[in-house]
Amino acid sequence: MAAEMALVKPISKFSSVAPKFGNLRSGSYSKFTTIKMTATSQPPPPTSTTRPSKKAAKTTIKETLLTPRFYTTDFDEMETLFNTEINKNLNQAEFEALLQEFKTDYNQTHFVRSKEFKEAADKLQGPLRQIFVEFLERSCTAEFSGFLLYKELGRRLKKTNPVVAEIFSLMSRDEARHAGFLNKGLSDFNLALDLGFLTKARKYTFFKPKFIFYATYLSEKIGYWRYITIYRHLKANPEYQCYPIFKYFENWCQDENRHGDFFSALMKAQPQFLNDWKAKLWSRFFCLSVYVTMYLNDCQRTAFYEGIGLNTKEFDMHVIIETNRTTARIFPAVLDVENPEFKRKLDRMVEINEKLLAVGETEDASFVKNLKRIPLIAALASELLAAYLMPPIESGSLDFAEFEPQVVY
């Protein structure tokens, strides 16, 4: 998901954005093994005979294209976009209404743990336990990434547009709450993510503001459909309810939905990001990037989904289709994901990705591995391009149509 590069403030300013939600500070977990990252790490097995010290071994960061990323943007451009004196498209009444929605804080008392959490964690053993820890790690990292970005946007926009700034600050509150809840879940497995370390040590991916809008809208909406689908499945099949965190997903997903609706309002306030041919190309690009990333990630972790009674590919396609239908309400063009050929291309990408992973696991020299990767990377790029070039679905709000809209009832 590469974006155009532009001048941006030094990323070091993020170092001052320290976690302020109590139990996320690394020192708060002295009795647990602290892990510095990531979803690709192999967590140490829990033990009841030894007590991990504060200086316990910490796993190293292993960055991959599919690893949850931290984002930064051009905050000066953001300030210009939301300056009410410059941008007359800003619908302050809509933002005021959204602000009241966030202030209500429907989930203020929702994320309350019980002894059921630790009991369930103790029962999870073997490969499923390790896979579940990885799920918590990745989810916590993704939520914490959102916290950092929203927190900084809330701070930088405070003078330019106090209403939008406060919404970003309240969204960072939600993300912090989610990350804290997930990190507390890791404590049930005698682990914890060192989020202070993540703040300083992670590489930040730069996206221009319009790309932040596209990517973050999609991530929030796809998060909603993932959470609500898992919740509904486990409610109908309680025998697979292996850990109580899933019981929180019904309310949790509404936070994701509200965040997505806010980004929808932000994009409507910037019609130049929605009403031309470039917007259609970028919309399809980000849809493809998000959908493919999720599909490849999940197909590497089928044991997790099977552990909660889901068919990984069926689950992913359901989430992709529903997210795409939601996204079509605002993006000017989306992919034709309901075309059977789209899934066939995804499955071919999975096969190629598995071969790439297999190459990486061989004992060949790095030079030999790279030679073997070249045709596989070319094949993967070919499938991606073919999926992108499939005839798209023209969509989007009628407010941004390039022609006089004629609604047919």
Side-chain angles (χ1 to χ4, degrees), residues 42 62 300 353-365 369 372-373:
Q42 297 299 319
K62 183 180 178 182
Q300 289 181 34
N353 191 50
E354 288 173 349
K355 291 177 182 177
L356 279 168
L357 292 172
V359 169
E361 292 172 358
T362 64
E363 296 181 358
D364 294 335
K369 286 183 180 181
K372 290 181 177 179
R373 287 186 179 114

Side-chain angles (χ1 to χ4, degrees), residues 133-179:
V133 166
E134 185 178 313
F135 161 74
L136 291 173
E137 287 181 7
R138 293 181 65 84
S139 300
C140 183
T141 302
E143 298 283 355
F144 187 65
S145 167
F147 159 73
L148 289 177
L149 178 63
Y150 298 160
K151 186 75 172 178
E152 187 67 4
L153 284 167
R155 186 182 72 82
R156 288 295 299 264
L157 296 174
K158 192 170 292 184
K159 293 182 179 179
T160 305
N161 195 318
V163 174
V164 170
E166 189 172 359
I167 295 176
F168 273 118
S169 295
L170 292 175
M171 288 203 304
S172 75
R173 169 206 68 195
D174 295 342
E175 301 290 303
R177 186 180 288 155
H178 299 165

Side-chain angles (χ1 to χ4, degrees), residues 20-26 28-29 176 179-181 183-184 192 195:
K20 296 181 180 178
F21 26 102
N23 61 354
L24 295 187
R25 294 186 182 279
S26 58
S28 301
Y29 286 111
F181 199 66
N183 211 20
K184 193 64 176 175
L195 296 177

Side-chain angles (χ1 to χ4, degrees), residues 90-158:
L90 294 173
N91 186 342
Q92 288 299 110
E94 183 176 9
F95 290 135
E96 289 280 2
L98 284 166
L99 176 58
Q100 294 307 311
E101 181 86 0
F102 280 99
K103 281 183 174 180
T104 302
D105 195 6
Y106 298 100
N107 287 332
Q108 184 175 10
T109 60
H110 177 62
F111 294 95
V112 179
R113 287 164 47 87
S114 66
K115 65 178 182 179
E116 186 182 6
F117 279 78
K118 182 60 177 173
E119 292 172 354
D122 291 340
K123 291 178 183 177
L124 279 174
Q125 297 300 327
L128 184 58
R129 181 183 179 91
Q130 182 173 309
I131 291 165
F132 198 80
V133 166
E134 185 178 313
F135 161 74
L136 291 173
E137 287 181 7
R138 293 181 65 84
S139 300
C140 183
T141 302
E143 298 283 355
F144 187 65
S145 167
F147 159 73
L148 289 177
L149 178 63
Y150 298 160
K151 186 75 172 178
E152 187 67 4
L153 284 167
R155 186 182 72 82
R156 288 295 299 264
L157 296 174
K158 192 170 292 184

